[in-house]
Protein backbone atom coordinates (compact mmCIF):
# COMPACT_ATOMS: atom_id res chain seq x y z
CA UNK A 1 0.00 0.00 0.00
CA UNK A 2 1.37 3.39 -0.93
CA UNK A 3 -1.02 5.46 1.12
CA UNK A 4 -1.29 5.85 4.87
CA UNK A 5 -3.41 3.57 6.99
CA UNK A 6 -6.77 5.13 7.89
CA UNK A 7 -7.55 5.91 11.52
CA UNK A 8 -10.73 4.69 13.18
CA UNK A 9 -11.57 6.57 16.39
CA UNK A 10 -14.49 5.27 18.41
CA UNK A 11 -14.85 8.19 20.83
CA UNK A 12 -14.73 11.99 20.52
CA UNK A 13 -11.67 12.01 22.77
CA UNK A 14 -9.78 9.63 20.50
CA UNK A 15 -10.84 11.68 17.47
CA UNK A 16 -9.57 14.91 18.99
CA UNK A 17 -6.27 13.31 19.99
CA UNK A 18 -5.79 12.03 16.44
CA UNK A 19 -6.69 15.40 14.90
CA UNK A 20 -4.14 17.08 17.17
CA UNK A 21 -1.41 14.49 16.51
CA UNK A 22 -1.83 14.69 12.72
CA UNK A 23 -2.77 18.37 12.35
CA UNK A 24 -2.59 19.50 8.72
CA UNK A 25 -2.26 15.94 7.43
CA UNK A 26 -5.70 14.40 7.79
CA UNK A 27 -9.04 14.37 6.04
CA UNK A 28 -12.25 13.54 7.86
CA UNK A 29 -14.53 10.99 6.19
CA UNK A 30 -18.24 10.98 6.97
CA UNK A 31 -20.19 9.27 4.14
CA UNK A 32 -17.50 9.98 1.55
CA UNK A 33 -19.96 11.10 -1.15
CA UNK A 34 -18.32 14.51 -1.57
CA UNK A 35 -14.83 13.57 -0.45
CA UNK A 36 -14.31 10.62 -2.80
CA UNK A 37 -15.78 12.54 -5.73
CA UNK A 38 -13.46 15.52 -5.16
CA UNK A 39 -10.47 13.25 -4.58
CA UNK A 40 -11.27 10.81 -7.31
CA UNK A 41 -7.66 10.04 -8.13
CA UNK A 42 -6.83 9.11 -4.51
CA UNK A 43 -6.71 11.16 -1.36
CA UNK A 44 -2.99 11.95 -1.64
CA UNK A 45 0.26 10.58 -0.27
CA UNK A 46 0.92 11.34 3.33
CA UNK A 47 -2.73 12.19 3.94
CA UNK A 48 -4.50 10.19 6.64
CA UNK A 49 -8.18 9.44 6.42
CA UNK A 50 -9.90 9.71 9.78
CA UNK A 51 -13.14 7.76 9.66
CA UNK A 52 -15.98 9.30 11.69
CA UNK A 53 -18.34 6.35 11.25
CA UNK A 54 -17.32 4.53 14.44
CA UNK A 55 -18.11 7.40 16.83
CA UNK A 56 -21.47 6.76 18.47
CA UNK A 57 -21.64 10.28 19.92
CA UNK A 58 -21.99 11.72 16.42
CA UNK A 59 -25.24 9.84 15.87
CA UNK A 60 -28.73 10.02 17.30
CA UNK A 61 -31.86 12.09 16.82
CA UNK A 62 -33.64 13.14 20.00
CA UNK A 63 -35.58 15.89 21.71
CA UNK A 64 -33.54 17.59 24.43
CA UNK A 65 -36.23 18.77 26.81
CA UNK A 66 -33.72 20.78 28.88
CA UNK A 67 -32.81 22.94 25.87
CA UNK A 68 -36.23 22.74 24.19
CA UNK A 69 -34.64 21.58 20.97
CA UNK A 70 -34.34 18.70 18.55
CA UNK A 71 -30.75 17.46 18.31
CA UNK A 72 -29.50 15.66 15.23
CA UNK A 73 -26.05 14.04 15.23
CA UNK A 74 -23.76 15.08 12.37
CA UNK A 75 -23.34 11.47 11.17
CA UNK A 76 -27.05 10.86 10.65
CA UNK A 77 -27.71 10.06 7.01
CA UNK A 78 -30.19 11.71 4.66
CA UNK A 79 -32.23 8.49 4.79
CA UNK A 80 -32.43 8.48 8.58
CA UNK A 81 -33.16 12.22 8.77
CA UNK A 82 -35.90 12.01 6.14
CA UNK A 83 -37.61 9.02 7.78
CA UNK A 84 -37.28 9.97 11.44
CA UNK A 85 -40.69 10.73 13.06
CA UNK A 86 -39.25 13.48 15.31
CA UNK A 87 -37.74 15.28 12.33
CA UNK A 88 -40.98 14.90 10.36
CA UNK A 89 -42.93 16.31 13.30
CA UNK A 90 -40.69 19.18 14.40
CA UNK A 91 -38.60 19.98 11.33
CA UNK A 92 -40.66 18.97 8.34
CA UNK A 93 -38.74 21.08 5.82
CA UNK A 94 -35.49 19.35 6.83
CA UNK A 95 -37.02 15.89 6.37
CA UNK A 96 -38.20 17.03 2.93
CA UNK A 97 -34.81 18.46 1.99
CA UNK A 98 -33.04 15.23 3.05
CA UNK A 99 -35.53 13.11 1.10
CA UNK A 100 -34.69 15.07 -2.06
CA UNK A 101 -30.92 14.60 -1.93
CA UNK A 102 -29.41 12.48 -4.73
CA UNK A 103 -30.45 8.86 -5.22
CA UNK A 104 -31.37 6.20 -2.64
CA UNK A 105 -27.76 4.98 -2.66
CA UNK A 106 -26.45 8.50 -2.01
CA UNK A 107 -29.03 9.22 0.72
CA UNK A 108 -27.97 6.03 2.51
CA UNK A 109 -24.42 7.41 2.81
CA UNK A 110 -24.60 11.21 2.66
CA UNK A 111 -24.60 12.71 6.14
CA UNK A 112 -26.18 15.93 7.33
CA UNK A 113 -22.84 17.02 8.83
CA UNK A 114 -21.02 16.43 5.55
CA UNK A 115 -23.65 18.42 3.64
CA UNK A 116 -23.00 21.53 5.76
CA UNK A 117 -19.23 21.00 6.15
CA UNK A 118 -18.74 20.71 2.40
CA UNK A 119 -20.11 24.26 2.02
CA UNK A 120 -21.43 23.75 -1.50
CA UNK A 121 -23.82 26.52 -2.52
CA UNK A 122 -25.92 23.82 -4.21
CA UNK A 123 -26.48 21.74 -1.07
CA UNK A 124 -30.03 20.95 0.02
CA UNK A 125 -30.10 20.83 3.81
CA UNK A 126 -28.38 24.15 4.75
CA UNK A 127 -31.36 26.32 3.71
CA UNK A 128 -33.74 24.05 5.63
CA UNK A 129 -31.54 24.17 8.74
CA UNK A 130 -31.25 27.96 8.47
CA UNK A 131 -35.00 28.42 8.10
CA UNK A 132 -35.56 26.33 11.23
CA UNK A 133 -33.15 28.58 13.14
CA UNK A 134 -30.78 25.65 13.75
CA UNK A 135 -27.46 26.00 15.52
CA UNK A 136 -24.39 24.09 14.41
CA UNK A 137 -22.41 22.61 17.29
CA UNK A 138 -18.68 22.78 16.58
CA UNK A 139 -16.37 20.82 18.85
CA UNK A 140 -12.62 21.05 19.18
CA UNK A 141 -10.28 19.80 21.88
CA UNK A 142 -11.73 20.97 25.16
CA UNK A 143 -14.16 23.47 23.72
CA UNK A 144 -17.50 23.78 22.05
CA UNK A 145 -19.06 26.69 20.20
CA UNK A 146 -22.40 27.16 18.50
CA UNK A 147 -23.08 29.18 15.44
CA UNK A 148 -26.32 29.82 13.58
CA UNK A 149 -26.64 27.54 10.54
CA UNK A 150 -26.99 30.55 8.21
CA UNK A 151 -23.62 31.91 9.33
CA UNK A 152 -21.55 28.80 8.71
CA UNK A 153 -20.83 29.49 5.07
CA UNK A 154 -20.91 33.06 3.83
CA UNK A 155 -18.88 32.55 0.67
CA UNK A 156 -18.82 29.81 -1.94
CA UNK A 157 -16.88 26.75 -0.82
CA UNK A 158 -15.60 28.24 2.42
CA UNK A 159 -16.92 27.64 5.90
CA UNK A 160 -16.50 28.89 9.43
CA UNK A 161 -15.30 25.47 10.58
CA UNK A 162 -11.69 25.61 11.82
CA UNK A 163 -9.29 22.81 10.82
CA UNK A 164 -9.27 21.46 14.38
CA UNK A 165 -13.06 21.52 14.70
CA UNK A 166 -15.77 19.11 13.74
CA UNK A 167 -19.51 19.47 13.50
CA UNK A 168 -20.88 17.22 16.22
CA UNK A 169 -24.59 17.99 15.88
CA UNK A 170 -27.32 20.41 14.87
CA UNK A 171 -29.83 21.82 17.36
CA UNK A 172 -33.20 22.96 16.13
CA UNK A 173 -35.31 25.04 18.55
CA UNK A 174 -38.80 23.66 19.15
CA UNK A 175 -41.22 26.47 18.41
CA UNK A 176 -44.91 26.31 19.25
CA UNK A 177 -47.44 26.19 16.42
CA UNK A 178 -44.79 26.14 13.75
CA UNK A 179 -45.01 25.02 10.14
CA UNK A 180 -42.30 24.56 7.57
CA UNK A 181 -41.89 23.40 3.98
CA UNK A 182 -39.10 22.85 1.46
CA UNK A 183 -39.10 22.85 -2.33
CA UNK A 184 -36.41 22.11 -4.86
CA UNK A 185 -35.96 22.42 -8.58
CA UNK A 186 -33.24 20.28 -10.09
CA UNK A 187 -32.23 19.32 -13.59
CA UNK A 188 -33.43 15.77 -12.98
CA UNK A 189 -36.05 14.88 -10.44
CA UNK A 190 -34.18 12.26 -8.42
CA UNK A 191 -30.46 12.54 -8.97
CA UNK A 192 -29.57 16.17 -8.97
CA UNK A 193 -27.51 18.70 -7.22
CA UNK A 194 -30.12 21.35 -6.44
CA UNK A 195 -30.32 24.11 -8.96
CA UNK A 196 -32.52 26.03 -6.61
CA UNK A 197 -34.17 25.33 -3.31
CA UNK A 198 -36.38 27.19 -0.90
CA UNK A 199 -37.15 26.57 2.75
CA UNK A 200 -39.71 28.46 4.81
CA UNK A 201 -40.68 28.13 8.45
CA UNK A 202 -43.01 30.27 10.56
CA UNK A 203 -45.20 30.29 13.63
CA UNK A 204 -48.92 30.78 13.25
CA UNK A 205 -51.60 31.94 15.65
CA UNK A 206 -54.52 29.87 14.35
CA UNK A 207 -55.57 27.63 11.46
CA UNK A 208 -56.54 30.68 9.41
CA UNK A 209 -52.96 31.87 9.87
CA UNK A 210 -54.35 35.32 10.61
CA UNK A 211 -51.10 36.15 12.32
CA UNK A 212 -47.71 34.88 11.30
CA UNK A 213 -44.71 35.43 13.51
CA UNK A 214 -40.99 34.71 13.14
CA UNK A 215 -41.06 33.73 9.49
CA UNK A 216 -37.68 32.56 8.20
CA UNK A 217 -37.27 32.32 4.44
CA UNK A 218 -34.02 30.95 2.99
CA UNK A 219 -33.06 30.08 -0.58
CA UNK A 220 -30.24 27.71 -1.54
CA UNK A 221 -28.06 27.81 -4.66
CA UNK A 222 -27.99 31.58 -4.94
CA UNK A 223 -24.22 31.85 -4.59
CA UNK A 224 -24.13 30.63 -0.98
CA UNK A 225 -25.77 27.63 0.73
CA UNK A 226 -28.46 29.64 2.54
CA UNK A 227 -29.52 33.18 1.58
CA UNK A 228 -32.17 34.93 3.65
CA UNK A 229 -35.03 36.83 2.06
CA UNK A 230 -36.10 39.53 4.54
CA UNK A 231 -38.60 41.14 2.13
CA UNK A 232 -40.45 37.84 1.67
CA UNK A 233 -40.53 37.48 5.47
CA UNK A 234 -42.12 40.96 5.77
CA UNK A 235 -44.75 39.97 3.21
CA UNK A 236 -45.65 36.90 5.29
CA UNK A 237 -45.95 38.96 8.49
CA UNK A 238 -48.14 41.56 6.80
CA UNK A 239 -50.31 39.42 4.57
CA UNK A 240 -50.03 35.79 5.68
CA UNK A 241 -49.54 32.82 3.37
CA UNK A 242 -52.43 33.91 1.17
CA UNK A 243 -50.57 36.77 -0.58
CA UNK A 244 -48.70 34.38 -2.81
CA UNK A 245 -48.10 36.84 -5.66
CA UNK A 246 -46.34 39.37 -3.46
CA UNK A 247 -44.37 36.66 -1.71
CA UNK A 248 -43.14 35.33 -5.06
CA UNK A 249 -42.20 38.80 -6.30
CA UNK A 250 -40.10 39.30 -3.18
CA UNK A 251 -38.30 36.03 -3.93
CA UNK A 252 -37.63 37.13 -7.51
CA UNK A 253 -36.07 40.32 -6.16
CA UNK A 254 -33.77 38.20 -4.02
CA UNK A 255 -32.51 36.43 -7.17
CA UNK A 256 -31.86 39.78 -8.88
CA UNK A 257 -29.94 40.99 -5.86
CA UNK A 258 -27.95 37.77 -5.37
CA UNK A 259 -26.85 36.86 -8.88
CA UNK A 260 -27.15 39.98 -11.09
CA UNK A 261 -26.00 39.35 -14.64
CA UNK A 262 -25.39 35.60 -14.21
CA UNK A 263 -26.47 33.36 -17.05
CA UNK A 264 -28.83 31.56 -14.67
CA UNK A 265 -30.54 34.72 -13.40
CA UNK A 266 -33.56 34.57 -15.73
CA UNK A 267 -34.15 30.84 -15.08
CA UNK A 268 -33.81 31.22 -11.33
CA UNK A 269 -36.06 34.28 -11.30
CA UNK A 270 -38.96 32.30 -12.69
CA UNK A 271 -38.03 29.04 -10.94
CA UNK A 272 -38.03 30.66 -7.50
CA UNK A 273 -41.54 31.99 -8.08
CA UNK A 274 -42.77 28.51 -8.96
CA UNK A 275 -41.09 27.21 -5.81
CA UNK A 276 -42.67 30.04 -3.83
CA UNK A 277 -46.13 28.92 -4.99
CA UNK A 278 -45.46 25.25 -4.16
CA UNK A 279 -44.05 26.02 -0.74
CA UNK A 280 -46.90 28.44 0.10
CA UNK A 281 -49.54 25.88 -0.78
CA UNK A 282 -47.73 23.19 1.26
CA UNK A 283 -47.63 25.57 4.23
CA UNK A 284 -51.33 26.38 3.92
CA UNK A 285 -52.25 22.71 3.84
CA UNK A 286 -50.14 22.05 6.94
CA UNK A 287 -51.66 24.78 9.12
CA UNK A 288 -54.29 22.54 10.64
CA UNK A 289 -51.79 20.06 11.99
CA UNK A 290 -49.53 22.83 13.28
CA UNK A 291 -51.86 24.56 15.68
CA UNK A 292 -51.95 22.76 19.02
CA UNK B 1 -4.94 -1.94 7.75
CA UNK B 2 -6.93 -5.15 7.54
CA UNK B 3 -10.66 -4.62 7.29
CA UNK B 4 -12.75 -7.45 8.75
CA UNK B 5 -16.28 -7.74 7.45
CA UNK B 6 -18.85 -10.24 6.22
CA UNK B 7 -19.03 -10.73 2.47
CA UNK B 8 -22.01 -12.67 1.17
CA UNK B 9 -22.38 -14.38 4.53
CA UNK B 10 -18.71 -15.37 4.95
CA UNK B 11 -16.07 -13.78 7.17
CA UNK B 12 -13.61 -11.81 5.11
CA UNK B 13 -10.54 -9.72 5.70
CA UNK B 14 -8.93 -7.43 3.12
CA UNK B 15 -6.35 -4.66 3.10
CA UNK B 16 -7.35 -1.00 2.79
CA UNK B 17 -5.40 2.25 3.03
CA UNK B 18 -6.67 5.82 3.36
CA UNK B 19 -7.42 6.02 -0.35
CA UNK B 20 -9.04 2.63 -0.87
CA UNK B 21 -12.66 2.73 -1.94
CA UNK B 22 -14.99 -0.14 -1.15
CA UNK B 23 -15.21 -1.02 -4.88
CA UNK B 24 -11.40 -1.41 -5.05
CA UNK B 25 -11.31 -3.61 -1.98
CA UNK B 26 -14.09 -5.83 -3.33
CA UNK B 27 -12.71 -6.15 -6.87
CA UNK B 28 -8.99 -6.30 -6.17
CA UNK B 29 -8.87 -7.61 -2.60
CA UNK B 30 -11.78 -10.05 -2.73
CA UNK B 31 -12.02 -10.95 -6.44
CA UNK B 32 -15.63 -9.79 -6.75
CA UNK B 33 -15.92 -8.72 -10.37
CA UNK B 34 -19.70 -8.22 -10.52
CA UNK B 35 -19.23 -4.84 -8.84
CA UNK B 36 -18.51 -2.53 -11.75
CA UNK B 37 -17.11 0.91 -12.08
CA UNK B 38 -19.10 3.07 -14.48
CA UNK B 39 -18.89 6.76 -13.62
CA UNK B 40 -16.82 6.46 -10.44
CA UNK B 41 -18.61 9.47 -8.92
CA UNK B 42 -21.80 8.11 -7.41
CA UNK B 43 -24.07 8.80 -10.35
CA UNK B 44 -24.66 5.58 -12.30
CA UNK B 45 -25.18 2.88 -9.66
CA UNK B 46 -23.14 0.20 -11.50
CA UNK B 47 -21.05 -0.21 -8.34
CA UNK B 48 -24.07 -0.69 -6.05
CA UNK B 49 -23.66 -3.19 -3.20
CA UNK B 50 -25.77 -3.74 -0.09
CA UNK B 51 -24.19 -2.64 3.17
CA UNK B 52 -26.17 -3.97 6.12
CA UNK B 53 -29.05 -4.35 3.65
CA UNK B 54 -28.93 -0.78 2.29
CA UNK B 55 -27.94 -0.06 -1.32
CA UNK B 56 -24.88 2.20 -1.54
CA UNK B 57 -22.40 3.26 -4.21
CA UNK B 58 -19.16 1.45 -3.46
CA UNK B 59 -17.20 3.93 -5.62
CA UNK B 60 -17.70 6.73 -3.11
CA UNK B 61 -17.54 4.64 0.07
CA UNK B 62 -14.27 4.47 2.01
CA UNK B 63 -13.32 0.76 2.25
CA UNK B 64 -12.46 1.14 5.92
CA UNK B 65 -16.12 1.84 6.66
CA UNK B 66 -17.04 -1.74 5.75
CA UNK B 67 -15.45 -2.99 8.96
CA UNK B 68 -17.91 -5.01 10.97
CA UNK B 69 -20.54 -4.70 8.23
CA UNK B 70 -22.50 -7.19 6.15
CA UNK B 71 -21.71 -6.60 2.49
CA UNK B 72 -23.80 -8.31 -0.19
CA UNK B 73 -23.03 -8.52 -3.92
CA UNK B 74 -25.02 -10.48 -6.53
CA UNK B 75 -22.77 -13.47 -5.88
CA UNK B 76 -24.48 -13.64 -2.48
CA UNK B 77 -27.98 -13.87 -3.90
CA UNK B 78 -27.72 -17.40 -5.33
CA UNK B 79 -28.52 -20.23 -3.00
CA UNK B 80 -27.24 -23.75 -3.83
CA UNK B 81 -26.67 -22.69 -7.42
CA UNK B 82 -30.25 -21.42 -7.78
CA UNK B 83 -30.81 -17.86 -8.90
CA UNK B 84 -32.73 -15.49 -6.68
CA UNK B 85 -36.31 -14.67 -7.79
CA UNK B 86 -35.22 -11.20 -8.91
CA UNK B 87 -32.34 -12.58 -10.98
CA UNK B 88 -34.66 -15.06 -12.69
CA UNK B 89 -37.22 -12.39 -13.31
CA UNK B 90 -34.62 -10.16 -15.00
CA UNK B 91 -33.83 -13.03 -17.37
CA UNK B 92 -37.44 -13.92 -18.18
CA UNK B 93 -38.53 -10.29 -18.62
CA UNK B 94 -35.69 -9.36 -21.01
CA UNK B 95 -34.39 -6.83 -18.51
CA UNK B 96 -30.77 -7.57 -19.42
CA UNK B 97 -29.13 -6.38 -22.63
CA UNK B 98 -25.42 -5.56 -22.26
CA UNK B 99 -25.66 -6.46 -18.56
CA UNK B 100 -23.41 -3.69 -17.27
CA UNK B 101 -26.04 -2.18 -15.00
CA UNK B 102 -27.62 -5.50 -14.03
CA UNK B 103 -25.82 -6.46 -10.79
CA UNK B 104 -26.37 -3.00 -9.28
CA UNK B 105 -29.94 -2.87 -10.49
CA UNK B 106 -30.73 -6.30 -9.00
CA UNK B 107 -29.23 -5.38 -5.63
CA UNK B 108 -31.26 -2.15 -5.43
CA UNK B 109 -34.38 -4.17 -6.32
CA UNK B 110 -33.50 -6.73 -3.65
CA UNK B 111 -33.27 -3.99 -1.00
CA UNK B 112 -36.55 -2.46 -2.19
CA UNK B 113 -38.48 -5.74 -2.00
CA UNK B 114 -37.03 -6.50 1.44
CA UNK B 115 -38.63 -3.28 2.68
CA UNK B 116 -41.70 -3.15 0.51
CA UNK B 117 -42.99 -6.47 -0.87
CA UNK B 118 -45.65 -4.73 -2.99
CA UNK B 119 -44.11 -1.60 -4.49
CA UNK B 120 -46.05 0.43 -7.04
CA UNK B 121 -44.41 1.05 -10.42
CA UNK B 122 -43.73 4.61 -9.29
CA UNK B 123 -42.02 3.36 -6.12
CA UNK B 124 -39.91 0.98 -8.21
CA UNK B 125 -39.00 3.80 -10.58
CA UNK B 126 -38.02 6.08 -7.74
CA UNK B 127 -35.93 3.46 -5.98
CA UNK B 128 -33.88 2.65 -9.09
CA UNK B 129 -33.37 6.32 -9.99
CA UNK B 130 -29.71 5.98 -8.99
CA UNK B 131 -29.14 3.00 -11.32
CA UNK B 132 -28.62 4.10 -14.89
CA UNK B 133 -29.32 1.70 -17.78
CA UNK B 134 -28.31 2.81 -21.25
CA UNK B 135 -29.86 -0.13 -23.09
CA UNK B 136 -33.33 -1.15 -21.95
CA UNK B 137 -35.30 2.05 -21.49
CA UNK B 138 -36.17 0.80 -17.98
CA UNK B 139 -39.62 -0.62 -18.80
CA UNK B 140 -38.45 -4.28 -18.87
CA UNK B 141 -36.54 -3.66 -15.64
CA UNK B 142 -39.60 -2.25 -13.89
CA UNK B 143 -41.65 -5.19 -15.26
CA UNK B 144 -39.06 -7.64 -13.93
CA UNK B 145 -39.06 -6.14 -10.45
CA UNK B 146 -42.85 -6.06 -10.36
CA UNK B 147 -43.03 -9.71 -11.47
CA UNK B 148 -40.40 -10.77 -8.92
CA UNK B 149 -42.39 -9.05 -6.19
CA UNK B 150 -45.57 -10.85 -7.22
CA UNK B 151 -43.80 -14.21 -7.36
CA UNK B 152 -42.19 -13.71 -3.96
CA UNK B 153 -45.55 -12.76 -2.43
CA UNK B 154 -47.15 -15.89 -3.92
CA UNK B 155 -44.38 -18.13 -2.62
CA UNK B 156 -44.64 -16.61 0.82
CA UNK B 157 -48.39 -17.15 1.03
CA UNK B 158 -48.51 -20.59 -0.62
CA UNK B 159 -49.40 -23.47 1.73
CA UNK B 160 -46.38 -25.62 2.65
C1 LIG C 1 -24.39 11.43 -7.27
C2 LIG C 1 -24.47 12.47 -6.18
C3 LIG C 1 -25.64 13.19 -6.02
C4 LIG C 1 -25.71 14.16 -5.02
N1 LIG C 1 -26.88 14.86 -4.90
C5 LIG C 1 -26.97 15.81 -3.93
C6 LIG C 1 -28.19 16.55 -3.76
O1 LIG C 1 -29.18 16.33 -4.46
N2 LIG C 1 -28.22 17.50 -2.78
C7 LIG C 1 -27.15 17.76 -1.97
O2 LIG C 1 -27.24 18.61 -1.09
N3 LIG C 1 -25.99 17.07 -2.10
C8 LIG C 1 -25.87 16.11 -3.06
N4 LIG C 1 -24.69 15.42 -3.22
C9 LIG C 1 -23.52 15.81 -2.40
C10 LIG C 1 -23.27 14.97 -1.13
O3 LIG C 1 -23.88 13.71 -1.19
C11 LIG C 1 -23.75 15.69 0.13
O4 LIG C 1 -23.15 16.96 0.23
C12 LIG C 1 -23.48 14.89 1.42
O5 LIG C 1 -24.35 15.32 2.43
C13 LIG C 1 -22.05 14.97 1.92
O6 LIG C 1 -21.97 14.19 3.10
P1 LIG C 1 -20.92 13.02 3.31
O7 LIG C 1 -21.22 12.42 4.62
O8 LIG C 1 -20.89 12.10 2.15
O9 LIG C 1 -19.58 13.88 3.38
P2 LIG C 1 -18.08 13.49 3.08
O10 LIG C 1 -17.86 13.36 1.63
O11 LIG C 1 -17.62 12.40 3.95
O12 LIG C 1 -17.39 14.84 3.59
C14 LIG C 1 -17.54 16.07 2.90
C15 LIG C 1 -16.60 17.11 3.53
O13 LIG C 1 -17.04 17.48 4.81
C16 LIG C 1 -16.10 17.15 5.82
N5 LIG C 1 -16.87 16.63 6.95
C17 LIG C 1 -17.77 15.61 6.91
N6 LIG C 1 -18.38 15.47 8.12
C18 LIG C 1 -17.85 16.43 8.92
C19 LIG C 1 -18.07 16.79 10.30
N7 LIG C 1 -18.97 16.16 11.06
N8 LIG C 1 -17.36 17.83 10.80
C20 LIG C 1 -16.47 18.49 10.03
N9 LIG C 1 -16.21 18.20 8.74
C21 LIG C 1 -16.88 17.17 8.19
C22 LIG C 1 -15.17 16.14 5.18
O14 LIG C 1 -13.89 16.20 5.73
C23 LIG C 1 -15.19 16.59 3.72
O15 LIG C 1 -14.30 17.63 3.52
C24 LIG C 1 -24.59 14.42 -4.18
C25 LIG C 1 -23.42 13.66 -4.34
C26 LIG C 1 -23.35 12.69 -5.32
C27 LIG C 1 -22.09 11.89 -5.46
S1 LIG D 1 -19.46 3.71 -10.56
FE1 LIG D 1 -20.26 4.13 -8.66
S2 LIG D 1 -22.04 5.18 -9.12
FE2 LIG D 1 -21.11 5.00 -11.08
S1 LIG E 1 -28.46 -3.50 -19.87
FE1 LIG E 1 -26.90 -2.29 -20.73
S2 LIG E 1 -26.76 -0.69 -19.28
FE2 LIG E 1 -28.47 -1.76 -18.61
Amino acid sequence: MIYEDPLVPSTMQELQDMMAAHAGKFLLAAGGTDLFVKRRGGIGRGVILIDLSGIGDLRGISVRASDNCLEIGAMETMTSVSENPLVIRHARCLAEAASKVGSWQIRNRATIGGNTANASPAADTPSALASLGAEVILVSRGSERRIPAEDISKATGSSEIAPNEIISAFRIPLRENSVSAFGKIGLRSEVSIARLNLAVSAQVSDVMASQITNPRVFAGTLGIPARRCAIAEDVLVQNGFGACGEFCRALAELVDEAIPGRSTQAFKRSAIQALGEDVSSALLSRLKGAVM
Amino acid sequence: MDVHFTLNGENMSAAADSSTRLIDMLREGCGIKSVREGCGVGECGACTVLMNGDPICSCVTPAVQARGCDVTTVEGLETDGELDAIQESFVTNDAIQCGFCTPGMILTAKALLARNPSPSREEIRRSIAGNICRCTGYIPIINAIEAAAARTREENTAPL
Side-chain angles (χ1 to χ4, degrees):
Chain A
M1 298 266 154
I2 52 170
Y3 296 104
E4 303 291 320
D5 263 353
L7 295 175
V8 291
S10 52
T11 62
M12 288 296 277
Q13 187 60 51
E14 276 176 25
L15 168 65
Q16 281 153 19
D17 291 346
M18 288 169 182
M19 287 169 73
H22 302 283
K25 286 192 303 189
F26 67 81
L27 283 171
L28 300 174
T33 60
D34 276 320
L35 192 65
F36 275 34
V37 169
K38 274 194 195 151
R39 306 255 176 171
R40 203 180 162 191
I43 74 158
R45 289 198 190 186
V47 178
I48 298 168
L49 193 80
I50 303 185
D51 170 26
L52 301 179
S53 73
I55 305 172
D57 282 351
L58 294 177
R59 289 184 203 272
I61 300 178
S62 59
V63 167
R64 284 169 67 102
S66 55
D67 296 311
N68 197 34
C69 71
L70 176 69
E71 181 167 296
I72 304 177
M75 285 297 288
E76 288 298 329
T77 64
M78 297 300 170
T79 299
S80 63
V81 168
S82 65
E83 293 176 352
N84 184 282
L86 290 173
V87 182
I88 293 169
R89 173 150 178 232
H90 298 294
R92 179 80 174 261
C93 66
L94 179 63
E96 287 175 326
S99 77
K100 292 185 169 143
V101 166
S103 61
W104 189 11
Q105 287 94 323
I106 295 296
R107 289 191 296 279
N108 284 336
R109 299 283 315 159
T111 64
I112 183 163
N115 203 219
T116 285
N118 194 49
S120 159
D124 280 320
T125 61
S127 58
L129 286 163
S131 87
L132 293 163
E135 279 184 331
V136 185
I137 314 289
L138 293 169
V139 177
S140 58
R141 233 177 180 188
S143 79
E144 179 184 299
R145 66 186 181 114
R146 303 174 187 189
I147 52 177
E150 67 256 44
D151 292 339
I152 198 123
S153 177
K154 294 217 155 141
T156 302
S158 82
S159 84
E160 292 292 311
I161 309 168
N164 66 340
E165 280 181 325
I166 74 147
I167 299 177
S168 68
F170 298 87
R171 283 195 194 148
I172 297 167
L174 300 180
R175 301 193 293 170
E176 266 186 13
N177 300 346
S178 64
V179 279
S180 70
F182 174 90
K184 162 177 177 176
I185 289 178
L187 291 184
R188 289 181 44 188
S189 59
E190 275 86 7
V191 187
S192 62
I193 298 289
R195 293 296 135 197
L196 196 60
N197 68 54
L198 179 69
V200 179
S201 82
Q203 284 171 284
V204 291
S205 55
D206 52 55
V207 278
M208 304 305 287
S210 44
Q211 227 181 340
I212 289 182
T213 50
N214 298 323
R216 295 176 62 87
V217 178
F218 283 83
T221 321
L222 289 179
I224 55 172
R227 188 178 290 275
R228 191 164 192 172
C229 188
I231 313 174
E233 292 174 356
D234 289 345
V235 171
L236 292 182
V237 171
Q238 276 157 27
N239 304 326
F241 295 136
C244 193
E246 243 182 285
F247 179 65
C248 292
R249 275 192 294 282
L251 293 171
E253 270 180 48
L254 180 73
V255 172
D256 294 340
E257 211 181 278
I259 51 166
R262 289 240 194 119
S263 58
T264 51
Q265 184 184 354
F267 165 71
K268 289 195 175 179
R269 219 177 177 277
S270 75
I272 204 163
Q273 297 185 69
L275 277 180
E277 278 183 24
D278 289 355
V279 167
S280 298
S281 74
L283 288 165
L284 275 171
S285 70
R286 282 172 198 171
L287 287 175
K288 232 182 177 147
V291 179
M292 291 173 214
Chain B
M1 71 182 277
D2 279 336
V3 178
H4 299 276
F5 64 108
T6 309
L7 177 60
N8 297 327
E10 312 220 324
N11 289 335
M12 179 62 80
S13 154
D17 63 27
S18 285
S19 236
T20 314
R21 306 168 306 166
L22 181 56
I23 188 172
D24 306 324
M25 185 169 82
L26 292 172
R27 286 183 64 89
E28 289 149 34
C30 311
I32 296 282
K33 301 293 182 195
S34 68
V35 181
R36 291 172 181 154
E37 179 150 6
C39 65
V41 291
E43 278 168 8
C44 75
C47 65
T48 299
V49 302
L50 303 186
M51 198 151 144
N52 296 335
D54 297 326
I56 61 157
C57 295
S58 60
C59 71
V60 288
T61 299
V64 61
Q65 291 191 356
R67 67 190 187 287
C69 292
D70 255 322
V71 176
T72 306
T73 66
V74 276
E75 287 82 351
L77 298 188
E78 286 178 27
T79 28
D80 302 326
E82 292 238 342
L83 293 182
D84 181 89
I86 300 174
Q87 290 173 300
E88 266 183 21
S89 188
F90 267 61
V91 175
T92 51
N93 286 280
D94 293 326
I96 307 173
Q97 286 186 28
C98 80
F100 193 79
C101 69
T102 310
M105 199 68 91
I106 286 176
L107 287 164
T108 303
K110 183 82 187 162
L112 170 67
L113 299 192
R115 281 162 187 74
N116 180 358
S118 313
S120 64
R121 287 180 77 81
E122 178 51 30
E123 284 167 333
I124 295 174
R125 203 190 57 76
R126 191 170 143 75
S127 73
I128 60 166
N131 293 85
I132 290 177
C133 175
R134 289 161 27 129
C135 305
T136 65
Y138 299 99
I139 302 295
I141 292 176
I142 296 171
N143 293 343
I145 298 171
E146 209 176 25
R151 195 183 128 191
T152 311
R153 285 195 306 272
E154 266 166 36
E155 281 172 6
N156 290 344
T157 52
L160 291 176

